[in-house]
Amino acid sequence: MSAKSHATKSKSVKPSQPVKPVESIEPAVTASATASDDGIFSARFDRHRDELESLFRMLYGESAELNEFERAMADAYADRPADLKALDIAREQDPQWYKRGDMFGMTMYTDLFAGDLKKLAGKIDYLKEQKLTYLHLMPLLQMPHPDNDGGYAIEDFDAVDPRIGTNEDLAALTKKLREAGISLCLDFVMNHTASSHRWAKAAEAGDPKYQDYYFCYDDRTVPDQYDAQVPQVFPNTAPGNFTYNEKMGKWVMTQFYPFQWDLNYRNPKVFVAMMSSVLHLANLGVEVFRLDAVPYIWKQLGTNCRNLPQVHTIVRMMRMMLEIVCPAVVLKGEVVMSPKELAAYFGTPERPECHMLYNVSIMVNLWSALANGDTRLLKAQIDKLDALPENCWFVNYLRCHDDIGWGLDEDEEVRLAIDPLKHKEFLYHFYEGAEPGSWAMGELYNYDEASKDARSCGTTASLCGVEKAIITHDKPAYEKAIGRDLLMHRAMAFLRGFPMLNCGDEIGQLNGWEYKEDPDRVEDSRNLHRSPFDWNKADERHTEGTLQSRLWEGMEGLREMRSDPCFAPDAWVTTWDTHDDGVLAVVRKQGERTIVGLFNFADRDATATMDSTVDATLPAEPVALTPYEYKVIVTHE
């Protein structure tokens, strides 16, 4: 396997300031002794102490770092602002707050939307106009420039990147968002640091203590043993799992990119330091942490280093840590795995882990159904997720900062007589506009000639056909494209979980082809859907008949739909057979009330016929739908 290149472009960033050291060990001090004496922390800590300490020792033995971990929790509680402590108490009394039907989210890059954190704070009225309750800002902690993988290479987990603002700006923003009823979500990149992080620099300089923060080897013996079992994350753009560092004279594990060094969570110092950073950010007002690449964080020779039991031990300890220090804060896992792997990341009702997960598989299946007008794979995937335990909750979305990876259920495809490889090739060629009859405009990402694997990039509007219709001045195609866009959003929002928009989708923002003129961005086609927010286009949302107005009103309708009692956290949700593969039917029931969502993914007229049962009152007569039409029907009250 060829090694990754060590060379990177020169960087001009403010040096990282050392975080509060956690390595020194002092005589044992009980956690409650250093926290404020209001009794709340002690009571929370006592509820979790036995399990937390047992799990810590399971991973790390009788390490003195346990004392440091407990001290960090106590100090974080003592430092926690009073208004956040009040929010903690309110959330403890309303533990399902993030499952309510009025939850409505958006994800964005701070710089692309507003420039920096101060300017974003001045745009909160725009967010309130959409009745947002949840805002996910892409990584904004200190990072190298330009090689930072969209912010997922972090130099300092305790400091905002100077180009975006300061820690004080972040705290001021979160306070304004809370006043507006909006919870802030930030990524916590657990798997790796930037190669320019102070730990990596110390390791590179030869410090064995910090080399043990990573996976560093003198020769290829151990790396080759890992490579025999561990898949490559980016075989085309960043092949291999190790990079040779000439200054250190060692091979270092870099599963993602050469400038992202994988952290060694077998070292308790790493765990304690990273947890301290989580608590620091929570005290700045972060209410949701998206755990990036969490299935990868524990490495063990002889395995594929994915979804190992120790990962769940760490996430469980994180969950307890938050419930002790800041129970207003929730965890959202990024788990790009098959449905059978997902339930484990929620833990159990008695020993929970993540509060919610990204619904990656449904996102992929929605786009698959739209391309071929066939909802069978989508329905099967929804059924598998609906069969998960009640504690499993999802954030549903169509587009985000990342590509669309075509990870469909190959066993189900075979059962339906669909060739998995041919179907995947069809999908990524369709969404780059290369298939006959395609309406989409997008680009491939990470195409691999050997495996014929590729992913897709583009905004929702452009992938639904809006951009092509505008360019070709095709009015009928334009109307269908808007219909597809609204259908996809409405179907996504009808499923179990809560919806999250990608910033710009509410006004139909098109692809940003100008990225090809930027030498720092041209190599990554994901920048096609990472373009500056078009405020001039946003101003047209109040002009009747414009694309922006029609989609804006569509999102208002989506929120009105979700105000129905059948979107309560404990509502019963299931799919239903329509006797037409082009139409997806989802039934929601709460008490005596039943509603049915019908979504025609086919570019043809369709008829949904639903067989009635004792369990739910369904439409007695067939329901006709035009191409890409959706209907929500109240069938029983």
Side-chain angles (χ1 to χ4, degrees):
M1 183 178 294
S2 61
K4 299 180 185 178
S5 169
H6 171 73
T8 58
K9 298 180 181 179
S10 61
K11 304 170 180 64
S12 56
V13 295
K14 179 181 178 181
S16 299
Q17 297 299 314
V19 298
K20 182 178 180 180
V22 297
E23 292 84 4
S24 60
I25 304 300
E26 300 178 11
V29 177
T30 62
S32 59
T34 58
S36 59
D37 58 1
D38 60 13
I40 295 175
F41 177 87
S42 297
R44 291 175 184 158
F45 182 74
D46 288 344
R47 282 199 299 270
H48 292 294
R49 180 197 296 271
D50 290 346
E51 184 187 356
L52 187 63
E53 292 183 349
S54 175
L55 292 178
F56 192 96
R57 292 188 176 103
M58 184 187 304
L59 287 183
Y60 302 120
E62 293 299 328
S63 169
E65 297 300 323
L66 175 58
N67 185 55
E68 292 300 311
F69 180 38
E70 294 179 350
R71 186 194 311 275
M73 287 191 289
D75 289 347
Y77 180 80
D79 293 341
R80 191 156 172 80
D83 61 331
L84 292 177
K85 287 184 176 180
L87 182 64
D88 291 333
I89 293 172
R91 293 270 171 84
E92 283 183 306
Q93 297 169 354
D94 182 21
Q96 299 208 79
W97 65 271
Y98 59 93
K99 293 184 177 182
R100 292 195 300 265
D102 64 353
M103 284 295 292
F104 191 63
M106 176 172 282
T107 180
M108 64 174 62
Y109 280 98
T110 301
D111 55 341
L112 296 178
F113 180 69
D116 59 34
L117 291 174
K118 285 184 177 178
K119 292 176 182 175
L120 194 153
K123 302 288 188 181
I124 289 179
D125 283 347
Y126 178 81
L127 308 180
K128 289 174 63 177
E129 192 178 342
Q130 298 178 74
K131 297 181 174 61
L132 291 187
T133 61
Y134 173 101
L135 179 65
H136 177 191
L137 295 181
M138 289 291 99
L140 48 74
L141 299 180
Q142 187 164 313
M143 65 189 81
H145 296 279
D147 295 326
N148 56 52
D149 187 28
Y152 287 90
I154 295 177
E155 285 184 332
D156 189 340
F157 288 89
D158 294 299
V160 171
D161 190 88
R163 297 191 182 193
I164 298 174
T166 65
N167 286 9
E168 291 74 22
D169 294 336
L170 178 59
L173 174 65
T174 61
K175 186 172 184 178
K176 287 186 177 181
L177 288 171
R178 284 196 302 279
E179 292 170 353
I182 302 173
S183 298
L184 182 70
C185 171
L186 280 190
D187 290 82
F188 193 70
V189 184
M190 293 188 66
N191 184 69
H192 44 257
T193 74
S195 58
S196 49
H197 190 284
R198 69 181 184 90
W199 298 343
K201 287 299 183 184
E204 192 176 56
D207 189 329
K209 180 177 76 172
Y210 287 102
Q211 288 179 358
D212 193 40
Y213 277 45
Y214 303 97
F215 294 87
C216 305
Y217 302 99
D218 293 328
D219 57 39
R220 285 290 312 182
T221 302
V222 175
D224 285 344
Q225 292 173 346
Y226 273 110
D227 282 344
Q229 299 289 331
V230 179
Q232 299 179 66
V233 177
F234 299 129
N236 185 47
T237 57
N241 291 303
F242 289 84
T243 298
Y244 186 73
N245 184 279
E246 295 178 0
K247 292 182 180 179
M248 186 168 53
K250 293 177 181 287
W251 291 89
V252 59
M253 182 180 286
T254 55
Q255 286 194 83
F256 286 75
Y257 285 101
F259 50 83
Q260 293 166 314
W261 289 19
D262 286 46
L263 284 166
N264 176 16
Y265 279 90
R266 296 182 303 200
N267 182 343
K269 288 181 169 59
V270 169
F271 172 79
V272 174
M274 295 295 280
M275 294 305 100
S276 297
S277 293
V278 170
L279 295 175
H280 174 252
L281 293 169
N283 279 357
L284 291 178
V286 177
E287 296 181 37
V288 184
F289 286 99
R290 173 190 177 272
L291 303 182
D292 181 67
V294 65
Y296 298 77
I297 61 174
W298 192 273
K299 281 77 175 179
Q300 183 173 317
L301 273 175
T303 74
N304 66 359
C305 297
R306 307 284 194 272
N307 305 304
L308 297 181
Q310 295 88 343
V311 172
H312 298 287
T313 301
I314 288 174
V315 178
R316 174 62 185 147
M317 287 197 292
M318 290 184 72
R319 175 71 177 255
M320 287 189 285
M321 175 186 76
L322 297 179
E323 291 182 357
I324 292 168
V325 179
C326 46
V329 179
V330 300
L331 296 175
K332 177 177 72 171
E334 186 223 11
V335 183
V336 187
M337 301 288 166
S338 65
K340 65 182 180 181
E341 303 283 1
L342 299 182
Y345 285 90
F346 292 102
T348 65
E350 297 76 25
R351 296 184 175 181
E353 295 178 23
C354 290
H355 296 75
M356 52 190 172
L357 298 184
Y358 259 143
N359 208 340
V360 180
S361 60
I362 291 301
M363 178 272 293
V364 174
N365 277 275
L366 281 165
W367 287 108
S368 172
L370 188 67
N372 60 20
D374 186 338
T375 66
R376 291 177 298 165
L377 278 175
L378 173 61
K379 181 181 184 301
Q381 196 74 359
I382 295 172
D383 289 341
K384 288 182 179 180
L385 295 184
D386 285 346
L388 293 176
E390 291 183 2
N391 63 309
C392 301
W393 199 252
F394 295 94
V395 178
N396 299 314
Y397 67 105
L398 298 177
R399 296 297 297 113
C400 64
H401 69 287
D402 219 342
D403 55 85
I404 301 173
W406 298 107
L408 298 167
D409 186 334
E410 294 189 1
D411 291 339
E412 185 66 20
E413 287 180 295
V414 171
R415 191 185 72 81
L416 295 172
I418 299 171
D419 183 296
L421 180 57
K422 289 182 179 178
H423 188 213
K424 179 187 294 187
E425 290 182 288
F426 162 76
L427 290 170
Y428 63 66
H429 286 314
F430 185 94
Y431 283 109
E432 69 168 336
E435 281 286 327
S438 172
W439 58 72
M441 291 186 71
E443 283 194 304
L444 300 185
Y445 174 69
N446 222 40
Y447 176 75
D448 182 42
E449 176 64 34
S451 66
K452 301 298 182 184
D453 190 34
R455 310 176 188 190
S456 299
C457 300
T459 68
T460 298
S462 291
L463 295 180
C464 284
V466 173
E467 184 172 358
K468 184 175 181 179
I470 290 174
I471 291 172
T472 57
H473 303 284
D474 189 331
K475 181 65 174 176
Y478 177 76
E479 292 299 321
K480 281 190 175 181
I482 294 176
R484 293 185 198 101
D485 193 308
L486 294 173
L487 169 82
M488 290 283 280
H489 277 102
R490 190 63 65 99
M492 172 268 291
F494 205 83
L495 304 177
R496 186 179 180 186
F498 77 83
M500 181 178 71
L501 303 183
N502 194 41
C503 184
D505 280 0
E506 75 279 12
I507 58 168
Q509 189 149 322
L510 305 180
N511 289 331
W513 299 97
E514 67 278 0
Y515 87 91
K516 292 180 177 294
E517 307 302 319
D518 185 341
D520 291 335
R521 304 174 73 226
V522 67
E523 296 299 326
D524 191 338
S525 58
R526 291 176 298 180
N527 287 315
L528 182 64
H529 52 261
R530 298 175 181 174
S531 56
F533 185 74
D534 193 333
W535 284 101
N536 291 327
K537 292 293 186 184
D539 288 341
E540 296 183 29
R541 68 189 184 277
H542 300 307
T543 303
E544 187 175 355
T546 62
L547 170 67
Q548 292 72 30
S549 174
R550 293 175 67 180
L551 291 180
W552 188 270
E553 290 176 0
M555 301 309 132
E556 287 183 351
L558 182 157
R559 292 189 293 273
E560 291 172 4
M561 173 188 78
R562 289 183 56 84
S563 66
D564 191 286
C566 289
F567 285 89
D570 58 348
W572 180 67
V573 186
T574 188
T575 65
W576 214 272
D577 187 17
T578 64
H579 299 285
D580 187 322
D581 291 339
V583 180
L584 173 72
V586 181
V587 179
R588 283 183 162 270
K589 184 177 176 66
Q590 174 70 5
E592 296 299 317
R593 184 177 176 83
T594 303
I595 63 173
V596 177
L598 298 172
F599 308 92
N600 183 13
F601 282 77
D603 189 9
R604 57 172 171 77
D605 292 336
T607 301
T609 304
M610 304 177 69
D611 299 324
S612 183
T613 71
V614 174
D615 297 325
T617 302
L618 302 175
E621 301 296 329
V623 179
L625 298 119
T626 57
Y628 308 117
E629 186 179 9
Y630 52 84
K631 291 181 178 180
V632 177
I633 304 169
V634 178
T635 61
H636 187 63
E637 296 195 62

